Every structure is written in C-alpha cells, then in structure tokens.
Amino acid sequence: GGTHWWGVIPGVWLAGFLLVAGRLGVSWIRARRLVRNGTPQRDAAWLDELRGFGTLGERVTLVSSDEVRCPMVFGVWRPVLLLPKDATEWEPQRRRQVLVHELSHVGRSDALFLALARLAVAVHWINPEAWMAARRLRFADEQVADDAVLAQGGDPAEYAGLLARVARRVVERSEDLPAVAPSMAGPSTVRSRVQRVLDASQKRGAPRRGTRLALCLLIGTAVLMVGGLKVGSQAQEVHGDTSFAQLTAELIPHPEDSQLDVDAKPGQQR
C-alpha cells in the first residue's frame, strides 16, 4: 500500500505544477493583451519627463489603456509602462512619482526576478514557505521602489495618499492585476507600505541584497525538488525543509496580512 502511494506523488506534483504554471501563463497572456490593445502614450509632458531618466527611460515604452487603473510594468528586455487613460490629466508631481516608482522596477529587472520566483513557486508549489517567500520578494521590491520616490524628494504624506488612491481605484473597478507585471499599488500590501512610507524612523535606500539571495535559494530548492522527486524517502525530504522558511524570513521583511479599508473582492489580493 505504501509503495503505491509513493508512486502517485509524482503525478500529484505534476498536476499542481501545471495548475500554478498555467495561471502564470494566463497572467502573461493577459498582460500581453493589455499592451496590444493599448495605444502609445504621446503626451508631451509624459515623454519629456521620461527622457529625463536618460538611458533607463529610453528602454521604456509608454502605453495608455482604458483597461487599467493602476500603473504597471510588463516585459524584461523591452519593458512597457502601462498607464490609465486619464494619466494625461495627472499633475506633474504625481506623474514624476509614478515614473520614479515604475522605472525603479525596470532598473532592477524586478519583472524578471518576479517571473523566476513565480516559476520556482510552480515547481515548489507543495511547500507553503515557497509561496510566502515569493510574497516577501514582491513586497521587498515595492519597498525599494517606494524608497526611490522618497529619495527623489517626494513628500511622504502625498505619496502615501497616491498609493491609497491608486489601490482604491483597482478595488472599485475589480481589476485583476497581472501577476507577471509589477504594479504600483496592489491592494493586499498597500496598507503596510503606506505605514512604512509615513514612518520617519525607517531606514531608506538600504540595498536589498536579501531579496535576490532568497530568490536564488527558492530557485535552488525548486531545482533540488525536481532532481529529487522520486518514489520513497527522497520525495519526502524535499517537503520538510524548515531551514528554508527560517532563512527567507530573516532575509526579507514580512508584510502584514492587511488590506485597505475598502470592500476588496476575492481575487484582488496581489
């Protein structure tokens, strides 16, 4: 009987992998559709501001879409910054803060590392610590982007208000943010981020080497899982790595499990 169940484990793992990887693929297709259905942003104020970022700004294409309510970046080698249609009406300070935040993601290749983390989670889906680590990775990336805005002279109270307003727009429209596109203000973490932005005692601009280190750890354990996914005790060993949870918890800050005080709907926590 026991031998029979060990023989079933690879099939169960494969089913879970296909489900998680399939959701990632759907997210990628949706982001591609948003870019394809959007229109190039030709507003002179946005283009002038983008040129001020030099070679980093030259890498980015601005696309406007009436299907998005939250600025987001999609793509690694040819990144696209998706903007809401009404972005042309935004005041200069808001425009600047959005560009600094999103181009911080581009400069750090956050979209690439986010995709790698998602793929590692697909491989390691049975381990809840892998999901938690990926969530910490994304939260840490948002912290770095927030710090970049404040380092450019952004007013903390004004910027915190912007994050809250953008997240509220997402919730009001029931927008499902693509998991593969770093977005400015996903509702699930915005409260923790706002509190951190307003906390003057926070250390700003510290390098987040732990983010990349934890991602390497996540990918490495995923590779080991694939290599060790055999019947018998080898498959069992993969699922019992408590040091993995302890290490990622130390490397990356853990966001609070809180949301905006709005009526968030299922599927909005990203």
Side-chain angles (χ1 to χ4, degrees):
T3 303
H4 170 74
W5 285 112
W6 282 119
V8 172
I9 287 178
V12 173
W13 172 85
L14 180 60
F17 170 79
L18 292 176
L19 177 61
V20 178
R23 291 178 60 188
L24 181 63
V26 169
S27 175
W28 186 87
I29 292 171
R30 181 172 182 274
R32 285 283 297 174
R33 182 182 62 79
L34 290 173
V35 172
R36 187 174 60 252
N37 293 346
T39 57
Q41 175 61 268
R42 303 190 186 281
D43 182 74
W46 276 98
L47 295 178
D48 288 344
E49 191 79 54
L50 184 65
R51 279 192 286 268
F53 287 86
T55 55
L56 181 60
E58 293 174 1
R59 294 176 52 199
V60 179
T61 300
L62 300 181
V63 172
S64 190
S65 172
D66 56 6
E67 297 183 66
V68 302
R69 304 284 285 175
C70 175
M72 65 186 76
V73 171
F74 174 68
V76 177
W77 291 278
R78 301 174 66 180
V80 174
L81 173 52
L82 278 163
L83 296 167
K85 276 289 188 183
D86 64 351
T88 55
E89 304 171 8
W90 294 354
E91 62 275 11
Q93 183 66 13
R94 182 178 183 181
R95 184 171 59 239
R96 176 71 178 178
Q97 289 177 346
V98 168
L99 283 175
V100 171
H101 181 101
E102 296 303 325
L103 266 66
S104 174
H105 287 307
V106 173
R108 287 167 42 84
S109 300
D110 285 343
L112 172 62
F113 286 99
L114 176 61
L116 290 174
R118 293 281 181 170
L119 285 173
V121 168
V123 174
H124 218 319
W125 66 267
I126 202 167
N127 187 347
E129 299 300 338
W131 296 84
M132 189 177 299
R135 183 168 179 260
R136 288 174 178 149
L137 287 167
R138 185 158 193 170
F139 184 76
D141 286 342
E142 293 303 328
Q143 284 186 333
V144 174
D146 292 340
D147 288 351
V149 175
L150 299 180
Q152 292 286 326
D155 178 72
E158 181 180 342
Y159 180 61
L162 172 60
L163 292 177
R165 289 194 301 273
V166 171
R168 186 177 293 276
R169 282 162 58 103
V170 172
V171 171
E172 288 175 348
R173 181 161 174 171
S174 301
E175 184 175 356
D176 184 19
L177 302 176
V180 296
S183 56
M184 185 170 186
S188 65
T189 60
V190 75
R191 172 177 288 178
S192 298
R193 289 171 56 199
V194 164
Q195 291 173 344
R196 183 178 179 277
V197 166
L198 295 175
D199 185 355
S201 66
Q202 288 286 337
K203 185 177 180 181
R204 309 290 181 188
R208 301 280 177 177
R209 294 189 181 90
T211 301
R212 302 305 190 234
L213 179 58
L215 176 58
C216 292
L217 179 64
L218 183 63
I219 295 172
T221 54
V223 171
L224 289 174
M225 179 178 180
V226 174
L229 192 61
K230 301 176 182 179
V231 296
S233 60
Q234 290 180 347
Q236 187 177 18
E237 290 173 359
V238 174
H239 305 155
D241 187 2
T242 56
S243 62
F244 173 77
Q246 296 169 353
L247 183 54
T248 54
E250 293 174 359
L251 290 173
I252 308 176
H254 187 281
E256 296 178 1
D257 294 326
S258 57
Q259 295 180 318
L260 275 175
D261 290 329
V262 292
D263 296 326
K265 300 181 180 180
Q268 289 298 319
Q269 290 108 30
R270 292 215 179 261

